[in-house]
Amino acid sequence: MRWVVDNFESTAVYNSCDDNIMASIDLLTQALNKAVSEARTLLGRTCKLSDIFPILCVYSFREADPVPREADNPWSIDKEQYPPDVLPGHCQGGFYSTSVATVKLLADEAVKTRLSHLDAVWITGILRQKLGADYRSVRAAPAVSTAGDYSIFFAEEIPQMLRKEWGRIVSKSKILQSITTR
């Protein structure tokens, strides 16, 4: 997060995506535009991404999950590390987006907060809550009703999808056709 803050304008969009997911950029752009529009309506003024932009859970939003405590659960959190029995509203891994301005606030808080192995919960839930940002500052991307609505391919489908997409691109380009047939 710190590298992003140091190298991008606060008006840029930050996306965190697991390596087994490939997002639909068209749908993601629509979701971001809708979120800006909604923020403008709520704020009653022009909203820019440099404003404190909400964290949009592109993969899955979880409002209040019980904290997993089972010893055999890889997502278990020790009571000493996180005493409450309910996790704050958070994005459930996969993919989330926000502004670099919001990332800066999260990164500043991160250096003061004990790290958790559940990075999406830690960043979009625990750090956000420590900033004083309430539950309305993290939410499902507009129109997300099930996990993965904006994620069009998962790990096992990506190689096949990339070959198909590359074939489509090559078929439309004489230059690429000449390179790939050598």
Side-chain angles (χ1 to χ4, degrees), residues 148-161:
D149 277 356
Y150 287 88
S151 307
I152 55 174
F153 301 103
F154 293 90
E156 62 276 0
E157 300 167 322
I158 290 174
Q160 177 184 358
M161 181 279 307

PDB file of all heavy atoms in Angstrom, residues 148-161:
ATOM      1  N   GLY A 148     -18.282 -12.769  -6.746  1.00  0.00           N
ATOM      2  CA  GLY A 148     -17.722 -12.936  -8.070  1.00  0.00           C
ATOM      3  C   GLY A 148     -18.512 -12.330  -9.209  1.00  0.00           C
ATOM      4  O   GLY A 148     -18.180 -12.555 -10.360  1.00  0.00           O
ATOM      5  N   ASP A 149     -19.547 -11.532  -8.933  1.00  0.00           N
ATOM      6  CA  ASP A 149     -20.343 -10.946 -10.016  1.00  0.00           C
ATOM      7  C   ASP A 149     -19.482 -10.173 -11.018  1.00  0.00           C
ATOM      8  O   ASP A 149     -19.780 -10.158 -12.201  1.00  0.00           O
ATOM      9  CB  ASP A 149     -21.408  -9.996  -9.464  1.00  0.00           C
ATOM     10  CG  ASP A 149     -22.656 -10.730  -8.999  1.00  0.00           C
ATOM     11  OD1 ASP A 149     -22.722 -11.957  -9.165  1.00  0.00           O
ATOM     12  OD2 ASP A 149     -23.556 -10.064  -8.480  1.00  0.00           O
ATOM     13  N   TYR A 150     -18.435  -9.495 -10.537  1.00  0.00           N
ATOM     14  CA  TYR A 150     -17.579  -8.718 -11.429  1.00  0.00           C
ATOM     15  C   TYR A 150     -16.331  -9.483 -11.822  1.00  0.00           C
ATOM     16  O   TYR A 150     -15.480  -8.985 -12.522  1.00  0.00           O
ATOM     17  CB  TYR A 150     -17.181  -7.391 -10.769  1.00  0.00           C
ATOM     18  CG  TYR A 150     -18.338  -6.425 -10.728  1.00  0.00           C
ATOM     19  CD1 TYR A 150     -19.224  -6.416  -9.668  1.00  0.00           C
ATOM     20  CD2 TYR A 150     -18.550  -5.531 -11.767  1.00  0.00           C
ATOM     21  CE1 TYR A 150     -20.288  -5.543  -9.630  1.00  0.00           C
ATOM     22  CE2 TYR A 150     -19.616  -4.658 -11.736  1.00  0.00           C
ATOM     23  CZ  TYR A 150     -20.476  -4.666 -10.664  1.00  0.00           C
ATOM     24  OH  TYR A 150     -21.530  -3.799 -10.633  1.00  0.00           O
ATOM     25  N   SER A 151     -16.198 -10.686 -11.344  1.00  0.00           N
ATOM     26  CA  SER A 151     -15.044 -11.518 -11.648  1.00  0.00           C
ATOM     27  C   SER A 151     -15.485 -12.540 -12.686  1.00  0.00           C
ATOM     28  O   SER A 151     -16.312 -13.386 -12.405  1.00  0.00           O
ATOM     29  CB  SER A 151     -14.558 -12.227 -10.393  1.00  0.00           C
ATOM     30  OG  SER A 151     -14.346 -11.294  -9.370  1.00  0.00           O
ATOM     31  N   ILE A 152     -14.911 -12.450 -13.864  1.00  0.00           N
ATOM     32  CA  ILE A 152     -15.438 -13.270 -14.943  1.00  0.00           C
ATOM     33  C   ILE A 152     -14.748 -14.620 -15.091  1.00  0.00           C
ATOM     34  O   ILE A 152     -15.274 -15.508 -15.710  1.00  0.00           O
ATOM     35  CB  ILE A 152     -15.413 -12.511 -16.287  1.00  0.00           C
ATOM     36  CG1 ILE A 152     -14.019 -11.996 -16.610  1.00  0.00           C
ATOM     37  CG2 ILE A 152     -16.429 -11.399 -16.283  1.00  0.00           C
ATOM     38  CD1 ILE A 152     -13.888 -11.367 -17.986  1.00  0.00           C
ATOM     39  N   PHE A 153     -13.572 -14.764 -14.529  1.00  0.00           N
ATOM     40  CA  PHE A 153     -12.851 -16.025 -14.658  1.00  0.00           C
ATOM     41  C   PHE A 153     -12.161 -16.355 -13.340  1.00  0.00           C
ATOM     42  O   PHE A 153     -11.706 -15.483 -12.638  1.00  0.00           O
ATOM     43  CB  PHE A 153     -11.792 -15.941 -15.764  1.00  0.00           C
ATOM     44  CG  PHE A 153     -12.373 -15.617 -17.107  1.00  0.00           C
ATOM     45  CD1 PHE A 153     -12.282 -14.351 -17.637  1.00  0.00           C
ATOM     46  CD2 PHE A 153     -13.042 -16.589 -17.836  1.00  0.00           C
ATOM     47  CE1 PHE A 153     -12.840 -14.051 -18.860  1.00  0.00           C
ATOM     48  CE2 PHE A 153     -13.606 -16.287 -19.062  1.00  0.00           C
ATOM     49  CZ  PHE A 153     -13.504 -15.019 -19.578  1.00  0.00           C
ATOM     50  N   PHE A 154     -12.061 -17.631 -13.053  1.00  0.00           N
ATOM     51  CA  PHE A 154     -11.352 -18.091 -11.874  1.00  0.00           C
ATOM     52  C   PHE A 154     -10.155 -18.909 -12.307  1.00  0.00           C
ATOM     53  O   PHE A 154     -10.014 -19.253 -13.470  1.00  0.00           O
ATOM     54  CB  PHE A 154     -12.288 -18.876 -10.957  1.00  0.00           C
ATOM     55  CG  PHE A 154     -13.346 -17.983 -10.366  1.00  0.00           C
ATOM     56  CD1 PHE A 154     -14.559 -17.792 -11.013  1.00  0.00           C
ATOM     57  CD2 PHE A 154     -13.098 -17.290  -9.196  1.00  0.00           C
ATOM     58  CE1 PHE A 154     -15.520 -16.947 -10.483  1.00  0.00           C
ATOM     59  CE2 PHE A 154     -14.053 -16.437  -8.666  1.00  0.00           C
ATOM     60  CZ  PHE A 154     -15.262 -16.264  -9.308  1.00  0.00           C
ATOM     61  N   ALA A 155      -9.292 -19.250 -11.403  1.00  0.00           N
ATOM     62  CA  ALA A 155      -7.976 -19.825 -11.683  1.00  0.00           C
ATOM     63  C   ALA A 155      -7.977 -20.904 -12.766  1.00  0.00           C
ATOM     64  O   ALA A 155      -7.188 -20.842 -13.697  1.00  0.00           O
ATOM     65  CB  ALA A 155      -7.364 -20.372 -10.400  1.00  0.00           C
ATOM     66  N   GLU A 156      -8.858 -21.874 -12.649  1.00  0.00           N
ATOM     67  CA  GLU A 156      -8.817 -22.991 -13.596  1.00  0.00           C
ATOM     68  C   GLU A 156      -9.256 -22.573 -14.998  1.00  0.00           C
ATOM     69  O   GLU A 156      -8.949 -23.254 -15.969  1.00  0.00           O
ATOM     70  CB  GLU A 156      -9.668 -24.166 -13.089  1.00  0.00           C
ATOM     71  CG  GLU A 156     -11.145 -23.878 -12.919  1.00  0.00           C
ATOM     72  CD  GLU A 156     -11.498 -23.219 -11.586  1.00  0.00           C
ATOM     73  OE1 GLU A 156     -10.600 -22.973 -10.770  1.00  0.00           O
ATOM     74  OE2 GLU A 156     -12.691 -22.937 -11.378  1.00  0.00           O
ATOM     75  N   GLU A 157      -9.950 -21.453 -15.133  1.00  0.00           N
ATOM     76  CA  GLU A 157     -10.441 -21.016 -16.435  1.00  0.00           C
ATOM     77  C   GLU A 157      -9.502 -20.024 -17.127  1.00  0.00           C
ATOM     78  O   GLU A 157      -9.620 -19.794 -18.316  1.00  0.00           O
ATOM     79  CB  GLU A 157     -11.807 -20.349 -16.270  1.00  0.00           C
ATOM     80  CG  GLU A 157     -12.865 -21.258 -15.668  1.00  0.00           C
ATOM     81  CD  GLU A 157     -14.096 -20.478 -15.240  1.00  0.00           C
ATOM     82  OE1 GLU A 157     -13.946 -19.360 -14.730  1.00  0.00           O
ATOM     83  OE2 GLU A 157     -15.189 -21.002 -15.421  1.00  0.00           O
ATOM     84  N   ILE A 158      -8.579 -19.413 -16.391  1.00  0.00           N
ATOM     85  CA  ILE A 158      -7.776 -18.326 -16.939  1.00  0.00           C
ATOM     86  C   ILE A 158      -6.916 -18.752 -18.126  1.00  0.00           C
ATOM     87  O   ILE A 158      -6.946 -18.088 -19.156  1.00  0.00           O
ATOM     88  CB  ILE A 158      -6.957 -17.623 -15.841  1.00  0.00           C
ATOM     89  CG1 ILE A 158      -7.934 -16.846 -14.933  1.00  0.00           C
ATOM     90  CG2 ILE A 158      -5.904 -16.691 -16.437  1.00  0.00           C
ATOM     91  CD1 ILE A 158      -7.300 -16.208 -13.725  1.00  0.00           C
ATOM     92  N   PRO A 159      -6.130 -19.849 -18.070  1.00  0.00           N
ATOM     93  CA  PRO A 159      -5.316 -20.200 -19.249  1.00  0.00           C
ATOM     94  C   PRO A 159      -6.147 -20.381 -20.514  1.00  0.00           C
ATOM     95  O   PRO A 159      -5.788 -19.875 -21.580  1.00  0.00           O
ATOM     96  CB  PRO A 159      -4.634 -21.507 -18.831  1.00  0.00           C
ATOM     97  CG  PRO A 159      -4.602 -21.449 -17.345  1.00  0.00           C
ATOM     98  CD  PRO A 159      -5.882 -20.746 -16.957  1.00  0.00           C
ATOM     99  N   GLN A 160      -7.275 -21.096 -20.409  1.00  0.00           N
ATOM    100  CA  GLN A 160      -8.151 -21.307 -21.567  1.00  0.00           C
ATOM    101  C   GLN A 160      -8.696 -19.971 -22.072  1.00  0.00           C
ATOM    102  O   GLN A 160      -8.726 -19.714 -23.270  1.00  0.00           O
ATOM    103  CB  GLN A 160      -9.286 -22.246 -21.184  1.00  0.00           C
ATOM    104  CG  GLN A 160     -10.283 -22.481 -22.296  1.00  0.00           C
ATOM    105  CD  GLN A 160     -11.453 -23.341 -21.828  1.00  0.00           C
ATOM    106  OE1 GLN A 160     -11.510 -23.791 -20.693  1.00  0.00           O
ATOM    107  NE2 GLN A 160     -12.401 -23.562 -22.726  1.00  0.00           N
ATOM    108  N   MET A 161      -9.125 -19.108 -21.155  1.00  0.00           N
ATOM    109  CA  MET A 161      -9.674 -17.812 -21.539  1.00  0.00           C
ATOM    110  C   MET A 161      -8.602 -16.960 -22.223  1.00  0.00           C
ATOM    111  O   MET A 161      -8.862 -16.313 -23.231  1.00  0.00           O
ATOM    112  CB  MET A 161     -10.206 -17.085 -20.301  1.00  0.00           C
ATOM    113  CG  MET A 161     -10.827 -15.724 -20.572  1.00  0.00           C
ATOM    114  SD  MET A 161      -9.679 -14.322 -20.747  1.00  0.00           S
ATOM    115  CE  MET A 161      -8.707 -14.434 -19.285  1.00  0.00           C
TER     116      MET A 161
END
